[in-house]
Amino acid sequence: MPSRRYRAVVVGASLGGFHALRTLFAALHGRFPWPVIAVLHTATEDVSDMAQLYAARTPLNVSEAPERVAPQAGNVYLAPGGMHLLIETDGRFAFSTEARVNFSRPSIDVLFDSAADVYRSGLIGVVLTGANDDGARGLSAIRSRGGLAIVQNPATAEAPSMPAAALDIAGADYVLDLEKLGPQLNRLAGLDA
Amino acid sequence: MSSLHPSDLQDIEVRLFVQAMQLRYGYDFSGYSPASFKRRVRGATEHFGLATISQLTERALHDETLLTQLIARLSVPVTEMFRNPEVFQQLREDVLPWLSSFPQFNIWQAGCASGEEVYSLAILLEEAGLYDRALIYATDFNEHALDRAREGIYAAREARLFSENYQRAGGSGSLSDYYVAGYDHIKLDARLKRNISFANHNLTADGVFCEAHLILCRNVLIYFSDSLKDRVLTLFRDSLARGGYLCLGNKESLILSTLADEFKPVSSGHAFYRLRSTNAV
């Protein structure tokens, strides 16, 4: 049985994040019961090519998050390039071109913060490899709402600063090597096989 | 009493702030998308060195000299010259030929912010030999940004990005032909302003003021609720000449709008639409 407590997963990745996200998405079960919403810091404005590369390795649908659409179970959504992605209070995707946060747009903190307000204790936040500290405050917000925090083991991350900052500032419920992250999410979803 | 999460408390404070701005100054932010608006109210609170949004509300109520700065903080004046160059490329290839069929035409740039885009538009028209037939209305509700737009002075460190964008948009000369550089700034040629009319216009409250052949409103509607977005699209519909063009942000879509049937997508990708009319197309 999937835990009924959770309703969505948000993921943040920066330097080394393309490989990390591809590994994570590839490990997710085809019946994964929650939407997965990811921010990757990238210079690319158009993430649809990247979505195809991910889609080739995972049973889930992968697409750029569409404005004003509510995230659906079994789908992986990527933040558009050059814009912040937020979860609106009505549960739908919203964009913003406001100033960079932590030198980044899209910013992981912005997504995590807004998602924490909406999903509250029903949110799982995952911080992966990166060379900055984006995501740390957002993960704190998730934890302060009673959500679950998972951080990639900095010792095995391609760039350790971002997961290390997340652990410093927010702490985590699980600290795992990259290969174990997907299986752990499947287990939380009650999908052991 | 159950304890309230600080962020939930801020939601209450934001609602009170919105009410105060409406009652005190007539600025209506109630149709703004709450998630990003809350971020900006928090940002303004920090900017003014205040501890809570409620303190910001109090300051706003009692200190009207704060208003211009406060509006500047609540709006999102992020823009650049020839931003998304492919949009300007498409303007040049698809829209300018149609505009050139008129002896005179009007363009409305709604939400012009600090003006980088309206000068880009002037350059585009100049290079197509059409500028002297154009009247461009550049509007925003942020008076601070409008002042910057009127000046046309930007940080020199941005010039390189602007130039790259200009080249990628298919510019026929060099962007430096249009500005003088000095003191870490670039100042755009005053001649570019000759047919631009800068004006304060608030999309949430103000009405139609011209008949436009082209309306550009990029990355503004993303901050509005569905109903406010539809209100503004109605305003655009009522402002557009028959067959006129509407240009929205690259990621904005009319698909979910009740006004969707009134605009015909020109092509997929760059958010160009044409007003349908009962008599044509």
Side-chain angles (χ1 to χ4, degrees):
Chain A
M1 280 291 287
S3 164
R4 286 210 197 139
R5 183 180 150 196
Y6 299 111
R7 291 186 288 149
V9 180
V10 288
V11 185
S14 187
L15 184 65
F18 176 75
H19 168 73
L21 285 177
R22 200 165 52 164
T23 306
L24 172 65
F25 298 156
L28 294 176
H29 196 284
R31 284 186 285 115
F32 196 71
W34 308 308
V36 178
I37 307 154
V39 165
L40 172 64
H41 295 159
T42 163
T44 321
E45 285 258 327
D46 187 356
V47 301
S48 56
D49 288 348
M50 209 184 295
Q52 285 183 14
L53 293 172
Y54 292 133
R57 296 271 196 97
T58 170
L60 306 175
N61 299 317
V62 187
S63 66
E64 184 174 309
E67 196 209 353
R68 289 173 206 256
V69 167
Q72 302 294 318
N75 282 264
V76 174
Y77 299 96
L78 306 175
M83 292 184 137
H84 295 303
L85 174 67
L86 298 93
I87 307 298
E88 193 43 82
T89 49
D90 63 8
R92 298 186 294 161
F93 288 122
F95 299 157
S96 157
T97 59
E98 278 157 89
R100 291 163 192 278
V101 176
N102 311 314
F103 307 102
S104 304
R105 189 176 57 220
S107 149
I108 301 164
D109 279 345
V110 170
L111 171 67
F112 281 20
D113 240 359
S114 61
D117 274 357
V118 171
Y119 294 110
R120 296 164 188 250
S121 63
L123 185 64
I124 299 172
V126 183
V127 174
L128 303 177
T129 172
N132 50 64
D133 67 353
D134 196 15
R137 278 164 205 84
L139 201 65
S140 283
I142 291 172
R143 295 197 95 192
S144 80
R145 291 283 196 180
L148 190 81
I150 303 178
V151 174
Q152 183 178 3
N153 181 358
T156 63
E158 204 170 317
S161 327
M162 200 165 88
L167 289 177
D168 273 356
I169 291 171
D173 299 283
Y174 299 95
V175 182
L176 299 168
D177 292 354
L178 180 58
E179 298 68 32
K180 305 237 168 96
L181 291 165
Q184 179 60 39
L185 287 170
N186 289 335
R187 265 195 297 282
L188 289 163
L191 300 162
D192 263 321
Chain B
M1 288 289 280
S2 63
S3 68
L4 203 55
H5 192 277
S7 187
D8 292 333
L9 193 56
Q10 286 180 346
D11 289 338
I12 296 172
E13 291 181 285
V14 169
R15 288 175 68 171
L16 295 169
F17 172 79
V18 167
Q19 217 174 359
M21 291 298 285
Q22 164 78 59
L23 294 169
R24 175 71 172 83
Y25 299 109
Y27 276 104
D28 185 3
F29 291 102
S30 63
Y32 277 57
S33 297
S36 60
F37 186 70
K38 180 180 176 182
R39 291 188 52 78
R40 295 199 293 287
V41 177
R42 276 191 201 149
T45 304
E46 276 174 36
H47 172 77
F48 293 111
L50 302 170
T52 64
I53 295 167
S54 303
Q55 287 179 14
L56 182 70
T57 305
E58 194 196 344
R59 274 286 295 278
L61 283 172
H62 294 285
D63 181 1
E64 63 190 77
T65 64
L66 199 73
L67 184 65
T68 304
Q69 285 183 68
L70 186 53
I71 295 297
R73 287 275 146 193
L74 297 177
S75 75
V76 187
V78 176
T79 182
E80 60 196 48
M81 287 192 81
F82 295 96
R83 180 172 196 175
N84 305 119
E86 68 280 5
V87 172
F88 286 86
Q89 185 85 264
Q90 194 173 354
L91 270 173
R92 188 193 305 271
E93 286 167 10
D94 295 349
V95 184
L96 295 196
W98 182 71
L99 291 179
S100 73
S101 69
F102 297 92
Q104 280 200 310
F105 54 86
N106 293 331
I107 297 175
W108 177 16
Q109 165 108 50
C112 70
S114 40
E116 288 88 332
E117 194 164 326
V118 78
Y119 289 111
S120 311
L121 202 57
I123 291 171
L124 192 77
L125 291 164
E126 187 92 311
E127 293 188 353
L130 293 173
Y131 188 39
D132 288 319
R133 293 196 230 164
L135 197 53
I136 307 175
Y137 298 93
T139 66
D140 207 283
F141 81 116
N142 175 352
E143 198 57 51
H144 179 74
L146 269 181
D147 282 342
R148 292 199 50 211
R150 288 186 186 103
E151 286 175 358
I153 297 172
Y154 306 108
R157 65 173 183 278
E158 292 192 282
R160 190 171 152 184
L161 170 69
F162 292 176
S163 289
E164 283 170 9
N165 285 352
Y166 166 80
Q167 297 298 340
R168 285 172 55 208
S172 57
S174 161
L175 188 64
S176 58
D177 299 342
Y178 299 99
Y179 64 75
V180 290
Y183 305 105
D184 302 330
H185 289 89
I186 59 169
K187 183 173 184 5
L188 288 166
D189 191 337
R191 266 181 58 78
L192 289 173
K193 280 183 237 182
R194 67 189 187 274
N195 292 336
I196 303 174
S197 178
F198 293 98
N200 195 309
H201 182 279
N202 187 342
L203 288 169
T204 70
D206 298 335
V208 173
F209 66 95
C210 75
E211 183 182 65
H213 298 82
L214 165 65
I215 296 176
L216 297 106
C217 182
R218 295 169 67 204
N219 296 327
V220 175
L221 301 180
I222 52 174
Y223 300 107
F224 294 167
S225 69
D226 292 351
S227 58
L228 180 54
K229 179 181 177 180
D230 283 354
R231 180 203 188 271
V232 175
L233 287 169
T234 305
L235 182 62
F236 290 164
R237 179 198 64 196
D238 296 344
S239 302
L240 275 172
R242 182 182 300 169
Y245 282 85
L246 172 64
C247 177
L248 301 175
N250 284 11
K251 310 286 182 192
E252 291 177 294
S253 156
L254 293 189
I255 291 168
L256 298 172
S257 167
T258 57
L259 275 292
D261 290 343
E262 315 234 8
F263 296 93
K264 181 182 163 198
V266 171
S267 61
S268 63
H270 302 153
F272 278 92
Y273 296 85
R274 287 191 88 166
L275 183 68
R276 288 183 201 272
S277 75
T278 46
N279 299 333
V281 213

